[in-house]
Amino acid sequence: MKYSSLLLAIYMVVLISCKHNKKEAIAQVPTKTEVILTKLWETDTLLKTCEAVRYNKEKGVIYVSNIGGVPPSEKDGDGSMSIINIEGEIINQNWVTGMSAPKGTHFYNDKLYVTDIDAIIKIDIKSGSIEKRISVENAVFLNDLDIDTNGDVYFTDSRDSKVYKLANDEVSLWLDLEGVNPNGILVEKDRILVVSFSKGDFITIDKETKQHSVIATGIVGGDGIVSIKEGYLASTWPGELFFVDKSVSGAIATKLLDTKDEKLNAADIGIIPEKNILLIPTFFGNKVVAYKIGYK
């Protein structure tokens, strides 16, 4: 009788332990979010080779960089910046001219910064004029750009695999990512995210240590990045859009959109966060397309 009681006690302990461990295992499984895109509007096809978009909440407008003639590395002087509203109407098609191949763009303290092959163009937003051209020594193909909360500008050279930093109008090499060909870039508080054009890797870089790791794969031809509620959206120049779930590390990114058959690229995307609207510049499509971001 005592022996049976002992066996019963051991059995109960094991059973309780198994249930406890099972609950812990279930709790550790990440929840997969399903993102849904619904098309809202598109602009007229007057934005010649539109490459990047950036929403300015204070002014309620969207800046669009237009490369103009190709190739996008040609110093032909026919690049421009346009302004559209949040309904997709072109307000000023030739707001700023005199650039060659403007690409990534962002603003800080009424100044708009734009990459242009081997220089950063600094535009005065109030006057709509170029204030300064900042040369980047040894640059090959400057591409995407983002700005930290303190005004430091980070930008990629996608053909030379480098990330540069602009502070107080002075350029310095921030990180050499040999073989990565970083294109899209997103600056966060403690880290910087880039998407590789050649490898399709979605990479996080610690600001202090500069150690980097891959958090998602499968985004070949990576071009732009925006942050959303549950993770990130990343575009590919050929015409795809992917979702990277914050709760799942090292996974293949989830494809949400594919417009390759329509011959519509998906370049340096932007977002209207308070309205959950994604903005896609279509490069050779010569228009910006907006989608409502939803979750399921």
Side-chain angles (χ1 to χ4, degrees), residues 19-36:
K19 286 184 177 180
H20 179 69
N21 290 336
K22 186 176 181 181
K23 287 181 179 179
E24 284 187 342
I26 292 172
Q28 290 169 1
V29 174
T31 302
K32 191 72 174 177
T33 302
E34 185 177 348
V35 179
I36 302 169

Side-chain angles (χ1 to χ4, degrees), residues 37 39 41-43 47 50-54 62 64 84 223-224 226 233-242 256-259 264-272 277-283 285-293:
L37 299 177
K39 186 176 177 180
W41 52 256
E42 61 182 44
T43 66
L47 304 169
C50 52
E51 206 282 332
V53 289
R54 183 69 68 170
I62 301 161
V64 185
I84 64 177
D223 204 310
V226 297
L233 298 179
S235 61
T236 74
W237 185 84
E240 297 168 307
L241 188 81
F242 290 85
L256 302 178
L257 187 69
D258 189 336
T259 56
L264 290 178
N265 306 100
D268 188 4
I269 54 179
I271 192 168
I272 304 176
I277 295 176
L278 176 71
L279 305 166
I280 302 181
T282 61
F283 207 78
N286 299 318
K287 62 184 178 182
V288 173
V289 182
Y291 292 86
K292 183 71 174 181
I293 304 168

